[in-house]
Amino acid sequence: QVLIKDLYRNTESFVGQKVELSGWVRTIRDSKTFGFIELNDGSFFKGVQIVFDEQLDNYKEITKFPISSSIKVEGDFIHTPQAKQPFEIKAMAIILEGSSNVDYPLQKKKHSFEYLRTIAHLRPRTNTFSAVFRIRSLASYALHKFFQERGFVYVHTPIITGSDTEGAGEMFRVTTLDLDNLPKNEEGKIDTTQDFFEKESNLTVSGQLNAEAYALAFRNVYTFGPTFRAENSNTARHAAEFWMVEPELAFAELPDVMNLGEDMVKYVINYVLEEAPEEMNFFNSFIEKGLLERLEQARTADFGRVTYSEAIEILKNSGENFGYPVEWGLDLQTEHERYLCEKVFKRPLFVTDYPKEIKAFYMRLNEDGKTVAATDLLVPGIGELIGGSQREEREEVLLQKIKDLGMNEEDYWWYLELRKYGGTKHSGFGIGFERLIMYLTGMTNIRDVIPFPRTPGNAEF
Ligand code: 4AD
Ligand code: MG
């Protein structure tokens, strides 16, 4: 058996050959004496045309194959370099493997993305989702390739954890306690020591703290795994379960990881453009006009860089009404972020040195005592794609911060020890993998770049 991908990539080698294919019927039409099947086998974005005629014993039966039936085809490879399709298969035998029901929902008509979410088990068979999920696969490989080529060690950080890395309290509890009969301690609180892990545990929001421990042993490491947030934000850019890539570098300062992030984004763009030109052209034609131009610019131009304080001035002087106040000390909203990278800088933009109050406890305090060495990478169409920082390596400064925020010092004993035993400057970031896929494809809803999305009220499939 051959794959359709090979027919497209090595066309010349099939001239004059007999081939055997298997796949699903995408479309089928016939006249009295001959017919055409567009066959898709999943190996390639495009299908192949099968020509069949009444010389086949089962001609009548074939003309009645419902769309999406799975079939096996034997035939001659016919080279047609002048035609729109560079080749077709002249069938000598067509065998039905599995028929399809006539109520198959993906008939040849355009369906809305909203509708297709309700049939998440079937949508990978459509052009759009076939393209999205092949890009998702290629982009994840490209990220591994990028870090491995640079000698980074891939660390598997735990999914179940006792620490809240971001300190935002947006975690899913993991418990084996009987919810109808919760054990209580003397204070009347739930006695978590009776739980499986003998302490309260949650699904991880980020692997960063564990990655820091490994960076202080391997120097350069990265994670790539699922993370979970119980934030009830029903937006097109937030999911309850999403994948994050988190590099962490010892002996590195903030600009080092900004450079790394810029190189990484450019590398992945190059990789998908090279490996999946058919899919990328499809997105450019049908999902976002101008996508290829936008990616070409990101791939070649230097990303912008601006401090948070400068960004606030720009936003204040813009004369725009964003619907959210702009004031030094307030966090940037998506509207602000998109205005900065889309209208002012017109390219991906690193914003740095945010007020310490709006950022996580582990970020390194700057000399001014007011800001931290943090950065967000903002990109057109999305807003925040990357969040990162230099980490607070000074034990006493970190401890004070943990106390000031009323966090439980004991929970962080091991994290504090990293500062005690050969601590060093170190920095890292996290990139939201789904947001990267949205950025690469022009898809505008995070639900449409995750095979089976988990968002508030949605755990079907
Ligand atoms: O900015 P965040 O919260 O940073 C961290 O978690 C750090 N510990 C990362 C680090 O320095 N190692 O999240 C990082 C990125 C965001 O920039 C965003 O792209 C994505 O993760 N993200 C989400 N993506 C989808 N749905 C959500 N609910 C997301 N929350 C964050
Ligand atoms: Mg962030």
Side-chain angles (χ1 to χ4, degrees):
Q1 286 219 341
V2 296
L3 295 176
I4 291 176
K5 178 170 185 171
D6 297 326
L7 299 183
Y8 276 96
R9 292 286 190 248
N10 307 310
T11 306
E12 298 295 331
S13 70
F14 289 100
V15 175
Q17 300 285 311
K18 291 203 184 321
V19 293
E20 194 184 312
L21 296 161
S22 52
W24 295 271
V25 174
R26 253 311 180 66
T27 61
I28 182 160
R29 62 204 155 87
D30 69 279
S31 65
K32 287 229 150 45
T33 53
F34 63 97
F36 300 101
I37 291 172
E38 189 199 342
L39 185 78
N40 223 287
D41 76 349
S43 70
F44 196 61
F45 185 59
K46 294 182 188 166
V48 64
Q49 173 156 285
I50 313 288
V51 192
F52 61 100
D53 65 26
E54 59 181 352
Q55 284 174 0
L56 300 181
D57 303 340
N58 57 348
Y59 178 75
K60 271 272 153 317
E61 187 200 329
I62 297 170
T63 60
K64 296 197 187 81
F65 285 171
I67 288 178
S68 102
S69 299
S70 55
I71 60 172
K72 207 157 85 190
V73 179
E74 282 169 37
D76 290 321
F77 181 91
I78 311 289
H79 199 202
T80 54
Q82 317 303 353
K84 199 163 136 240
Q85 290 165 316
F87 51 81
E88 59 186 28
I89 307 297
K90 171 87 174 56
M92 287 170 342
I94 298 182
I95 300 159
L96 182 68
E97 295 238 336
S99 187
S100 183
N101 225 307
V102 283
D103 62 0
Y104 182 62
L106 296 173
Q107 302 295 332
K108 197 85 190 160
K109 101 182 224 294
K110 210 160 158 36
H111 298 286
S112 71
F113 291 156
E114 287 77 10
Y115 169 67
L116 291 172
R117 277 173 219 148
T118 68
I119 49 167
H121 59 310
L122 299 176
R123 68 177 180 168
R125 305 174 184 200
T126 64
N127 282 336
T128 302
F129 290 95
S130 148
V132 165
F133 293 116
R134 199 183 309 276
I135 296 297
R136 190 175 163 115
S137 165
L138 290 169
S140 59
Y141 181 63
L143 285 163
H144 277 297
K145 201 156 140 33
F146 174 84
F147 286 111
Q148 295 282 341
E149 279 170 2
R150 282 158 188 73
F152 283 60
V153 169
Y154 178 29
V155 189
H156 295 122
T157 51
I159 307 280
I160 300 176
T161 176
S163 35
D164 179 3
T165 302
E166 294 307 300
E170 292 168 335
M171 297 184 299
F172 288 99
R173 266 300 288 284
V174 175
T175 183
T176 51
L177 295 177
D178 175 2
L179 295 183
D180 295 325
N181 198 4
L182 287 170
K184 300 276 169 64
N185 58 24
E186 291 104 68
E187 294 165 43
K189 297 223 173 91
I190 299 167
D191 185 0
T192 48
T193 62
Q194 291 191 36
D195 210 338
F196 181 90
F197 292 107
E198 297 178 356
K199 107 190 255 306
E200 187 175 320
S201 57
N202 308 285
L203 294 179
T204 186
V205 295
S206 157
Q208 179 195 321
L209 305 190
N210 305 87
E212 282 184 55
Y214 271 63
L216 294 180
F218 287 97
R219 190 180 188 115
N220 294 340
V221 302
Y222 70 104
T223 73
F224 191 173
T227 51
F228 307 86
R229 300 211 180 165
E231 52 193 338
N232 206 353
S233 25
N234 231 319
T235 82
R237 284 174 310 276
H238 290 87
E241 176 176 322
F242 62 100
W243 285 59
M244 220 196 309
V245 179
E246 298 184 273
E248 190 71 32
L249 292 75
F251 305 102
E253 299 182 4
L254 190 64
D256 299 317
V257 290
M258 291 161 67
N259 292 338
L260 180 77
E262 179 166 346
D263 289 348
M264 176 193 73
V265 170
K266 289 178 168 167
Y267 185 96
V268 178
I269 295 175
N270 284 331
Y271 190 81
V272 298
L273 287 174
E274 192 138 306
E275 295 295 319
E278 288 80 9
E279 282 84 349
M280 296 307 287
N281 282 324
F282 169 83
F283 291 126
N284 190 57
S285 305
F286 298 107
I287 301 296
E288 179 189 335
K289 300 261 181 288
L291 170 77
L292 292 180
E293 207 180 313
R294 169 164 75 65
L295 293 178
E296 181 60 23
Q297 189 234 24
R299 192 174 81 74
T300 50
D302 288 340
F303 291 4
R305 298 184 182 208
V306 68
T307 65
Y308 166 89
S309 301
E310 289 162 351
I312 291 294
E313 285 312 306
I314 294 170
L315 292 170
K316 273 189 171 169
N317 297 329
S318 68
E320 296 278 327
N321 175 13
F322 296 103
Y324 295 94
V326 176
E327 204 62 60
W328 199 98
L330 296 181
D331 208 354
L332 299 179
Q333 301 298 318
T334 302
E335 288 74 8
H336 305 135
E337 296 177 335
R338 290 188 55 177
Y339 179 81
L340 287 167
C341 61
E342 289 169 16
K343 298 279 157 41
V344 185
F345 287 82
K346 300 190 167 68
R347 58 204 156 112
L349 172 69
F350 284 107
V351 179
T352 61
D353 305 294
Y354 286 78
K356 62 178 185 203
E357 287 80 10
I358 58 173
K359 287 292 183 186
F361 76 98
Y362 51 72
M363 297 189 178
R364 191 179 197 279
L365 190 64
N366 284 328
E367 296 307 314
D368 61 14
K370 285 191 270 190
T371 60
V372 286
T375 189
D376 279 3
L377 176 66
L378 315 180
V379 295
I382 311 273
E384 179 185 342
L385 175 63
I386 286 179
S389 69
Q390 187 165 336
R391 319 308 188 188
E392 185 56 79
E393 83 282 12
R394 296 163 295 188
E395 192 191 350
E396 62 298 343
V397 183
L398 181 62
L399 185 58
Q400 193 55 51
K401 187 77 192 244
I402 288 175
K403 285 183 177 152
D404 289 350
L405 290 174
M407 295 162 65
N408 195 1
E409 190 186 322
E410 286 102 71
D411 286 349
Y412 297 90
W413 69 270
W414 62 271
Y415 187 66
L416 285 157
E417 273 197 0
L418 298 173
R419 276 74 187 158
K420 222 179 253 158
Y421 305 135
T424 166
K425 280 187 177 156
H426 60 288
S427 306
F429 65 77
I431 177 166
F433 183 57
E434 284 73 18
R435 293 194 188 174
L436 175 64
I437 303 305
M438 293 166 73
Y439 180 68
L440 294 171
T441 59
M443 297 296 287
T444 53
N445 197 310
I446 198 163
R447 293 163 181 78
D448 297 329
V449 300
I450 306 178
F452 300 101
R454 295 291 169 261
T455 50
N458 201 344
E460 212 178 343
F461 303 102

